[in-house]
Amino acid sequence: MTAALLADVRRELARLPAALDALLAGLDEAVARTRPAPAEWSPVEIVCHLRDEDTEDFGARLRVIVDG
């Protein structure tokens, strides 16, 4: 992984909090927890999935990439 690629990835990841704030600002709690359709996820479920991926899966995937 080159330094430039790593810098690009960090820059993109740094944008996520602001993007989430913009998407979720003013969202009513009931709406945030309601699935728009039975097979779709609610906003809370989506955010929790992103959190889980970051805390549980990202490290393992990164190690596979770095180790080749």
Side-chain angles (χ1 to χ4, degrees), residues 27-36 40-45 48:
L27 192 61
D28 178 82
E29 185 175 343
V31 172
R33 297 183 178 281
T34 302
R35 289 181 168 194
E40 296 178 3
W41 290 4
S42 72
V44 167
E45 290 172 312
C48 288

Side-chain angles (χ1 to χ4, degrees), residues 17-61:
L20 287 176
D21 285 345
L23 289 169
L24 302 173
L27 192 61
D28 178 82
E29 185 175 343
V31 172
R33 297 183 178 281
T34 302
R35 289 181 168 194
E40 296 178 3
W41 290 4
S42 72
V44 167
E45 290 172 312
I46 293 168
V47 171
C48 288
H49 175 71
L50 292 172
R51 178 210 56 212
D52 293 346
E53 285 296 315
D54 189 49
T55 59
E56 297 172 14
D57 295 334
F58 182 74
R61 291 181 184 175

